Amino acid sequence: MPAANAPLFNSSQAAEEAENAGLSPAAGATFGDIVAERFNRRDLMRGLLGVGAISATLGPAALAEAQPAAANPTPSFAFTELSSQPTDRTEVAEGYRAEVLIRWGDAVLPEAPAFDPTRQSAASQARQFGYNNDYLGYFPMPGAANGSRHGLLCVNHEYTNEELMFPGLGRQDAGGPLGRQRAFAGMTAELAAVEMMAHGGSVLEVRRDGESWAVVAGSRYARRITAHTEMEITGPAAGHPRMRTAADPAGRRVLGMLNNCAGGRTPWGTWLTCEENVNGYFSGRLPEGHAETANYRRMGIPGRWMNWGDYEARFDVAKEPNEANRFGWVVEIDPFDPNSVPKKRTALGRFKHEGAAGITARSGQYVLYSGDDERFDYVYRFVTEGRVSGERARDMTLLDAGTLSVARYNADGTGDWLPLVFGEGPLTPANGFHSQADVVIEARRAGDLLGATRMDRPEDVEANPATDKVYVMLTNNNRRTAEQVNPANPRADNRFGHIVEMLPDNRDHTAPRFTWDILVRCGDPALAVVGATFNSRTSKDGWFGMPDNCAIDADGRLWVATDGNTPGRTQRNDGVWAMETEGAARGASKLFFKCPFGAELCGPEFTPDGETFFVAIQHPGETDPEDPSAAPATYENPSTRWPDFRPDMPPRPSIVAITRRGGGKIGT
Ligand code: FEO
Ligand code: CA
Ligand code: CA
Ligand code: CA
């Protein structure tokens, strides 16, 4: 396989596009050169990455010029709010268009067969768009005349819903794959192989023509990543004995990435995609007294939500006890090189990563925030040892060295980042840690020993480059008791979640301390027992529960996407709400976009010009768990057949591109 930074293309089209954009690659420049140059340019960094990234390459004066005016860090939203009435299809605020860009089963690679849900195969699925699209990362095309109208869209395919994907496979119990045991009647090796190919990710070349977006057919960037794609393990755990398996005695190569939920984009143009509920893919029983027993118990391994262990020995912990240590990482992928080997960056720790959104600190170090999505788990931060240099090949190795820390939220509104460093504090052989490899493999147990704050399911964590405030989506925690509340997680039986706002000391994302506040406690403000704290300007349509993903637009405004609103729970479906964070309107929100029945909203992502908003509609057609009259959703009986509405077509997870009629920025 070629080195990650090897030049791959020698394309006249790329050179032409570069020239159009005012780039002047030397004669014979390869596409790799153009990518490298593009990702060094100040205008790109300003547009794509916001103020934080600029600090990596600019002096203080230029930086001050680039900062938005302090008086008005984030302008208010301007759009007419939607009704929250639940429906079987998507809806967007008046004056906007929401068009399906790509659906599960549509072609990604050349020679992908037309999608036929009654004749699925692993070979077809490996070339088609995968299931349950989650994170979306948009990368402007280097050299494009307008990088906000032509780029790469990187997509996570988090997991599969067999009962909605396969005819005749109605789930045998009432549980979903997330959190409950499934029955496997009806599963076969062939169907499991389809599932494996429906996981992972897709790289799509996308282009806007007028108001519509389309996937570029036959693109040389098109890529499918699956549960079988070969990946490299890098960082402190690479090669460690706990990472070695029969198939990989060196502990440096692993097949596939699993349950990739949210992610991030780096200033050097790579896609970070985060493994979340990896425990569910493992079955079997560890040998009695096995050294990984405590580690696996802390991660919920084996979860046996899938029965892949019946078909591939590595997913059976009795047969391959170390394989599960090779999942639960942040994976870095170069989307501009379809032959690049994805890298599992172990320095960032192993847990149920929701996402990995980053910002360049004033020092030039790159800082990633990541939530561990489990009841009572933690918020983490990683600070690179090196600085973002603007030299792409060099920056590509930044995530292999740095300091991982875990958050403690103190009762007085301050907080501390507690470093997970081998040999410091309790992270010593006395507690079973013999190297930094042990610390990153068991990041959760290290966090326990350090006294991190147990949170209500930390999901997306995003830093706002306009204000340096960091937003933590805490989705819910129905197991917190009244004795277990703490100031940062103030509600027992927290069914609707809340959003915590953090501000690093001196607005320095590498600082050891921060202050924090609760932006909003979610749920219906009309029900006193819920204890929601939306700003009173919020309408009956404007409140939400279960914040999950978020996006910060080019104006520094916060958009919140939800997972878990249903007609039975909150009298609304999931969707996107625009949330004010500054001034008198702070804590007010408005409904902008809503999902069809059964779906959650994932992957909110803006183009740099703020004129396109991509969203991912995940698992449309599921049952409302709070509706006792609803029959269990199956392929034959889904709660919606969005987006095709054909009797012979099941619902299909799809990406939607939102634009403003007649052009212009979203929400302005
Ligand atoms: Fe995959 Fe935390 O949602
Ligand atoms: Ca969620
Ligand atoms: Ca999520
Ligand atoms: Ca989710």
Side-chain angles (χ1 to χ4, degrees):
M1 263 159 253
N5 58 353
L8 285 155
F9 305 106
N10 205 334
S11 146
S12 56
Q13 188 198 331
E16 191 184 299
E17 286 172 344
E19 204 161 51
N20 290 341
L23 292 166
S24 48
T30 64
F31 190 79
D33 296 337
I34 295 169
V35 170
E37 184 177 352
R38 175 70 166 160
F39 280 96
N40 295 343
R41 283 169 62 89
R42 171 182 161 175
D43 58 347
L44 168 106
M45 298 199 100
R46 187 196 294 264
L48 173 66
L49 304 154
V51 175
I54 300 169
S55 62
T57 49
L58 302 186
L63 186 62
E65 173 211 52
Q67 296 277 8
N72 185 17
T74 62
S76 280
F77 295 99
F79 63 87
T80 305
E81 175 167 47
L82 275 180
S83 149
S84 56
Q85 178 71 32
T87 71
D88 64 355
R89 58 201 64 210
T90 61
E91 258 180 62
V92 67
E94 196 186 321
Y96 292 86
R97 296 156 56 94
E99 285 189 348
V100 171
L101 176 70
I102 188 169
R103 304 161 295 185
W104 166 50
D106 283 343
V108 173
L109 298 178
E111 283 109 51
F115 181 57
D116 180 349
T118 64
R119 296 183 52 197
Q120 298 180 51
S121 72
S124 304
Q125 180 64 79
R127 309 191 79 76
Q128 296 164 333
F129 193 61
Y131 206 77
N132 274 347
N133 32 220
D134 199 300
Y135 176 77
L136 305 176
Y138 180 85
F139 297 80
M141 184 62 73
N146 183 341
S148 286
R149 288 174 171 255
H150 182 197
L152 297 184
L153 194 62
C154 296
V155 184
N156 290 359
H157 298 297
E158 187 185 20
Y159 68 99
T160 45
N161 285 71
E162 297 67 33
E163 81 285 9
L164 294 173
M165 290 173 71
F166 303 129
L169 207 79
R171 189 172 279 158
Q172 306 297 303
D173 65 353
L178 295 181
R180 284 170 243 172
Q181 294 290 314
R182 291 177 50 223
F184 300 112
M187 278 304 293
T188 62
E190 289 70 28
L191 293 182
V194 174
E195 291 178 323
M196 291 178 197
M197 296 303 109
H199 276 70
S202 293
V203 179
L204 310 170
E205 183 179 351
V206 294
R207 199 190 277 270
R208 178 173 174 170
D209 182 18
E211 292 193 344
S212 288
W213 283 85
V215 175
V216 176
S219 167
R220 60 196 148 140
Y221 304 103
R223 183 170 190 184
R224 272 305 322 280
I225 288 159
T226 72
H228 284 175
T229 302
E230 188 171 356
M231 309 203 168
E232 185 184 345
I233 298 165
T234 74
H240 190 275
R242 297 174 75 178
M243 302 292 277
R244 298 178 192 161
T245 63
D248 174 32
R252 292 176 182 275
R253 291 268 154 172
V254 58
L255 296 184
M257 59 183 199
L258 297 174
N259 213 269
N260 291 71
C261 195
R265 274 183 272 110
T266 65
W268 48 97
T270 59
W271 165 30
L272 302 180
T273 167
C274 299
E275 296 183 310
E276 192 189 42
N277 292 296
V278 297
N279 56 317
Y281 298 83
F282 294 89
S283 52
R285 190 187 287 264
L286 268 184
E288 200 65 39
H290 193 277
E292 299 296 351
T293 302
N295 165 25
Y296 283 6
R297 188 180 300 125
R298 186 66 177 83
M299 284 287 283
I301 295 166
R304 200 175 155 77
W305 304 345
M306 315 294 276
N307 66 339
W308 293 1
D310 294 351
Y311 313 112
E312 271 187 37
R314 67 184 177 126
F315 294 114
D316 181 337
V317 296
K319 295 178 181 150
E320 185 47 87
N322 281 352
E323 184 73 0
N325 277 335
R326 294 141 59 88
F327 293 87
W329 303 102
V330 175
V331 184
E332 183 174 17
I333 300 175
D334 180 359
F336 293 98
D337 175 0
N339 299 311
S340 62
V341 179
K343 309 267 195 300
K344 293 201 177 185
R345 299 295 192 193
T346 66
L348 279 62
R350 172 172 164 275
F351 48 90
K352 296 186 181 180
H353 286 274
E354 167 72 23
I359 188 163
T360 307
R362 296 244 158 81
S363 62
Q365 289 161 288
Y366 197 60
V367 178
L368 285 167
Y369 292 97
S370 192
D372 182 353
D373 183 4
E374 186 102 59
R375 297 174 187 94
F376 303 111
D377 259 292
Y378 307 134
V379 173
Y380 293 81
R381 180 188 74 174
F382 180 78
V383 179
T384 61
E385 192 179 293
R387 284 149 213 272
V388 180
S389 68
E391 227 179 280
R392 192 164 193 251
R394 206 170 122 191
D395 292 340
M396 290 260 207
T397 63
L398 273 177
L399 300 185
D400 280 337
T403 304
L404 181 68
S405 303
V406 64
R408 182 175 63 205
Y409 296 81
N410 303 317
D412 63 358
T414 67
D416 298 282
W417 288 111
L418 312 170
L420 274 67
V421 176
F422 168 66
E424 289 187 11
L427 308 183
T428 60
N431 288 311
F433 296 97
H434 299 275
S435 65
Q436 187 63 19
D438 288 335
V439 172
V440 294
I441 290 169
E442 292 191 79
R444 282 182 162 187
R445 205 165 63 78
D448 298 342
L449 289 164
L450 289 166
T453 302
R454 303 174 80 206
M455 309 296 284
D456 288 346
R457 292 189 54 198
E459 302 256 21
D460 245 3
V461 184
E462 296 253 1
N464 185 344
T467 60
D468 286 311
K469 291 176 181 169
V470 178
Y471 293 92
V472 185
M473 305 294 119
L474 295 149
T475 201
N476 59 51
N477 183 352
N478 60 352
R479 292 193 191 153
R480 190 176 290 278
T481 65
E483 293 69 43
Q484 291 171 317
V485 299
N486 60 52
N489 301 274
R491 286 188 289 185
D493 187 20
N494 180 9
R495 290 188 220 181
F496 304 105
H498 58 288
I499 299 175
V500 163
E501 182 185 74
M502 303 160 68
L503 182 65
D505 280 6
N506 306 313
R507 295 181 66 169
D508 172 4
H509 290 276
T510 71
R513 290 173 64 85
F514 57 90
T515 53
W516 65 269
D517 194 4
I518 292 181
L519 173 62
V520 65
R521 302 183 195 183
C522 305
D524 185 350
L527 302 174
V529 64
V530 169
T533 59
F534 286 92
N535 185 302
S536 61
R537 300 178 190 199
T538 306
S539 79
K540 67 174 181 22
D541 301 304
W543 61 269
F544 56 83
M546 296 71 103
D548 186 331
N549 294 116
C550 66
I552 290 160
D553 68 18
D555 291 319
R557 300 177 305 175
L558 179 66
W559 301 74
V560 178
T562 64
D563 170 17
N565 292 271
T566 68
R569 276 186 193 140
T570 53
Q571 308 84 55
R572 60 205 62 212
N573 285 345
D574 283 320
V576 179
W577 279 264
M579 179 103 220
E580 302 283 354
T581 57
E582 304 291 331
R586 174 179 164 87
S589 62
K590 276 165 64 169
L591 179 55
F592 179 71
F593 176 88
K594 60 191 187 189
C595 291
F597 289 131
E600 74 171 273
L601 197 295
C602 298
E605 173 81 338
F606 287 93
T607 51
D609 64 3
E611 296 196 5
T612 300
F613 192 16
F614 294 107
V615 295
I617 309 298
Q618 197 187 61
H619 57 72
E622 279 192 349
T623 320
D624 182 349
E626 309 290 322
D627 179 357
S629 66
T634 59
Y635 178 96
E636 292 78 11
N637 182 35
S639 62
T640 177
R641 290 189 186 274
W642 183 86
D644 300 301
F645 294 105
R646 273 170 42 183
D648 58 344
M649 190 61 82
R652 298 163 80 179
S654 304
I655 296 174
V656 168
I658 301 169
T659 53
R660 193 164 167 175
R661 292 185 191 280
K665 265 193 196 175
I666 308 277
T668 302

